[in-house]
Amino acid sequence: VRDEATGAYIVQLRHDMPREPLRSILSDNPIPIGTTRDGRMELENELGACADGVRFRPKPITLLKVLIRAASDDGERVMDFFAGTGTTALAAIDLRHEHGERRPFLCVEESDTSFPVCVQRVVRHMASPHWENGRMKPSRTDTPAPMLVRVVRIAPWNPPD
């Protein structure tokens, strides 16, 4: 409601409205989307013991697949400007492996800690989405789709004083 005297908007709570949880694509989704703990387990399975589960807080790949499918169509570009360990890219790759959906992706990461992990995960995941303790699990259904990755290092920008 807008206050005509001040022009400010005022939120009025109605106590006669039913109190129901807000619905979203996440709560209404029949696929379990996982937790940060699941994301850490995925990271450790892909990279093995070298994965530092304490330092990184990766999101589960299933969560990103749900969000990407809800926000884009096959063929549209997916961009992640805070790539971290590359989970968004992995979700786009999985959608191609599982459903044949093409979603080119652009990931940006400035952290010297996360960047090499992101690149390693993306390259490994392109070969196969199935990993356990840092080793690829054989699968009859894995047919690597032709993909290209370009890694570009950009020098940090220091604004003039």
Side-chain angles (χ1 to χ4, degrees):
V1 177
R2 187 171 184 166
D3 184 350
E4 292 182 17
T6 64
Y9 286 93
I10 302 170
V11 175
Q12 293 180 339
L13 299 177
R14 292 186 51 186
H15 298 289
D16 60 336
M17 293 181 68
R19 304 255 177 192
E20 294 180 15
L22 295 175
R23 297 175 62 118
S24 73
I25 61 169
L26 299 179
S27 64
D28 293 345
N29 187 7
I31 302 169
I33 56 172
T35 63
T36 303
R37 179 177 291 142
D38 298 323
R40 273 191 239 138
M41 286 176 22
E42 291 167 354
L43 179 68
E44 290 170 8
N45 276 332
E46 290 166 9
L47 302 181
C50 66
D52 186 352
V54 176
R55 183 179 309 148
F56 302 117
R57 301 285 188 260
K59 309 301 175 273
I61 296 172
T62 307
L63 169 65
L64 272 294
K65 287 193 287 191
V66 168
L67 294 175
I68 288 172
R69 288 187 102 184
S72 67
D73 290 321
D74 186 10
E76 292 184 335
R77 189 160 311 204
V78 176
M79 303 176 94
D80 183 357
F81 291 100
F82 304 95
T85 59
T87 307
T88 302
L90 303 187
I93 292 168
D94 271 5
L95 290 174
R96 185 163 187 164
H97 279 292
E98 295 168 6
H99 304 287
E101 298 176 7
R102 262 190 98 245
R103 285 187 174 81
F105 54 87
L106 170 68
C107 295
V108 178
E109 179 54 52
E110 70 172 354
S111 165
D112 290 334
T113 307
S114 298
F115 179 76
V117 174
C118 179
V119 171
Q120 186 178 14
R121 284 184 87 193
V122 168
V123 170
R124 284 172 164 242
H125 215 77
M126 284 176 23
S128 172
H130 307 289
W131 292 82
E132 190 172 322
N133 296 322
R135 297 192 180 273
M136 188 186 311
K137 288 172 45 178
S139 173
R140 285 186 246 166
T141 60
D142 279 349
T143 54
M147 295 184 212
L148 175 67
V149 171
R150 182 186 306 169
V151 178
V152 179
R153 284 265 218 200
I154 301 173
W157 180 69
N158 296 320
D161 293 332

